[in-house]
DNA sequence: GTAACCCCCGTACCTAGCTACAGAGTCAAG
DNA sequence: CTTGACTCTGTAGCTAGGTACGGGGGTTAC
């Protein structure tokens, strides 16, 4: 039950991550390069695919590649540190949520003031941004 | 009542925007460069300061420099187009809010599962990101 | 055996929004 | 008239996360 060897193209398809991106991850040390056979193509295992999928999902949770690197280094062992990272990230995200909500509120008000502006005395949005 | 001429340093201080940033804005055409006297320093008016403040506030509302450029070009005239830009921006911000909220929820769950994990069977956060 | 792929490596380029710096010129105070 | 602070210009570098390309070589299918 030996598998046929996975070249970079294969793991790219399995993980849904582009070849160039995988090479980039290798360059920045996020994933390892398997030994290169003296002449031939590098062969990848399913652990690499798993790692790539991990990276993808961590990215979706808002972790940067540097943070993902830490997560991978921590591994399954130090739950406390992992939790600390997650809490820190959650704080940042909550703060972003807060800011964005404020912006959305302001924009909504501006848009409404624009709708109320039947007279053509200039655009209330522009006016609002201009003076203050 | 002639004012003393404002050099770039002065308008930087008045607007709270750095000199290098102002030069950058000039390079990308967001603000104009006043004519340079054949020998000497450029002189800026308060209209430039106003424009810089406008840019700052529009940035705070989440507009990119390119979008701000459009806003400035539209000016006070075409309220409809300005409103359209604002609505478009609001849509994007709402979508970001939605995504961030989902991420925050997931992170919160992960952190809680971590807290419930009294037994030391690996970190639930890592496990959750790993499999799926 | 040869055409059509595929891989490897290094390097350059991209977006956005700055930020820094060198070298030459200018201005104003003392 | 010198000194020091300021300006102008052009160019390069930075972050983050890729994306693209060219040259050289290996592999596979027919």
């Amino acid at each position: 039950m030996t598998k046929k060897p996975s070249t970079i193209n294969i793991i790219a398809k399995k993980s849904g991550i582009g070849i160039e991106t995988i090479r980039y991850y290798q360059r920045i040390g996020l994933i390892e390069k398997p030994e290169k056979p003296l002449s031939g193509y590098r062969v990848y295992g399913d652990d690499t695919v798993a790692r790539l999928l991990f990276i993808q999902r961590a990215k979706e949770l808002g972790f940067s590649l540097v943070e993902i690197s830490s997560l991978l280094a921590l591994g399954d062992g130090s739950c406390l540190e992992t939790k600390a990272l997650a809490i820190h990230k959650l704080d940042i995200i909550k703060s972003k949520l807060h800011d964005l909500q404020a912006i959305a509120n302001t924009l909504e008000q501006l848009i409404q003031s624009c709708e109320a502006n039947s007279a053509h005395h200039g655009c209330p949005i522009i006016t609002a941004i201009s003076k203050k």
Side-chain angles (χ1 to χ4, degrees), chain A residues 100-114:
Chain A
L100 274 185
Q101 189 58 63
I103 291 170
N105 292 344
T106 306
L107 272 182
E108 224 148 50
Q109 278 173 28
L110 286 179
I111 290 166
Q112 274 175 23
S113 73
C114 218

Side-chain angles (χ1 to χ4, degrees), chain A residues 6-8 11-12 14-15 17 22 25-26 30-34 43-55:
Chain A
S6 290
T7 59
I8 197 167
I11 61 160
K14 278 191 190 170
S15 65
I17 293 178
I22 293 173
Y25 289 168
Q26 289 174 339
L30 197 51
I31 61 174
E32 282 180 22
K33 266 186 186 173
V43 170
Y44 298 82
D46 278 347
D47 51 334
T48 302
V49 177
R51 206 171 166 96
L52 286 172
L53 293 175
F54 181 99
I55 292 168

Side-chain angles (χ1 to χ4, degrees), chain A residues 28-68:
Chain A
I28 64 171
L30 197 51
I31 61 174
E32 282 180 22
K33 266 186 186 173
E35 286 301 306
K36 184 183 168 187
L38 252 143
S39 116
Y41 303 156
R42 289 176 203 283
V43 170
Y44 298 82
D46 278 347
D47 51 334
T48 302
V49 177
R51 206 171 166 96
L52 286 172
L53 293 175
F54 181 99
I55 292 168
Q56 253 190 327
R57 287 191 294 262
K59 275 205 325 168
E60 283 166 16
L61 287 174
F63 290 99
S64 70
L65 295 185
V66 168
E67 288 164 336
I68 292 169

